[in-house]
Amino acid sequence: MRYFIFVIFGLLLSCHSSAKELKYGSQAPEFELAQLDSLKTVALDDYRGKVVYLDFWASWCAACAYSFPVLNQLHNEFKDRGFEVLGINLDQDLHQAEHFLQKIPA
């Protein structure tokens, strides 16, 4: 699955003021984050014209362990129709996120 995982430390603080202004049906604010497994960055704008599911997850989130297989399946089924899943990790410790992904791949 083409599932980008990002580590964010300051993003929640920097986007907090704009995030609380979002209403149902509004567009997500533009962002650019580093990929967990490389030195590259990915911006939401890279996926313009596609349906993008933003998944905020963390190693301590029990529901995330159940959602990853479902999201993998959804992506595989609809990727040819422009469906992408972007995972945004909320862990403070990068090693915890990596350990989670070893047990439950995305």
Side-chain angles (χ1 to χ4, degrees):
M1 172 176 161
R2 189 171 172 205
Y3 198 101
F4 294 102
I5 308 301
F6 307 100
V7 178
I8 58 171
F9 298 101
L11 180 70
L12 289 179
L13 296 176
S14 66
C15 289
H16 180 70
S17 62
S18 62
K20 67 182 175 185
E21 296 171 14
L22 292 178
K23 295 184 179 173
Y24 179 79
S26 63
Q27 292 185 359
E30 182 56 41
F31 63 82
E32 184 174 320
L33 298 170
Q35 289 187 26
L36 181 66
D37 57 354
S38 76
L39 299 175
K40 297 179 183 177
T41 61
V42 173
L44 182 59
D45 193 50
D46 296 339
Y47 297 91
R48 186 166 303 280
K50 296 186 177 198
V51 174
V52 178
Y53 181 96
L54 293 176
D55 182 52
F56 294 86
W57 69 277
S59 61
W60 43 263
C61 171
C64 298
Y66 294 103
S67 70
F68 271 36
V70 173
L71 292 173
N72 286 335
Q73 182 179 356
L74 279 173
H75 180 260
N76 288 333
E77 186 173 342
F78 296 108
K79 65 184 174 188
D80 294 336
R81 293 168 56 187
F83 179 73
E84 297 289 343
V85 177
L86 299 180
I88 300 175
N89 180 260
L90 303 178
D91 282 306
Q92 296 283 328
D93 183 346
L94 176 62
H95 298 295
Q96 290 176 339
E98 291 171 334
H99 180 71
F100 179 91
L101 291 172
Q102 287 175 353
K103 293 188 305 185
I104 304 163

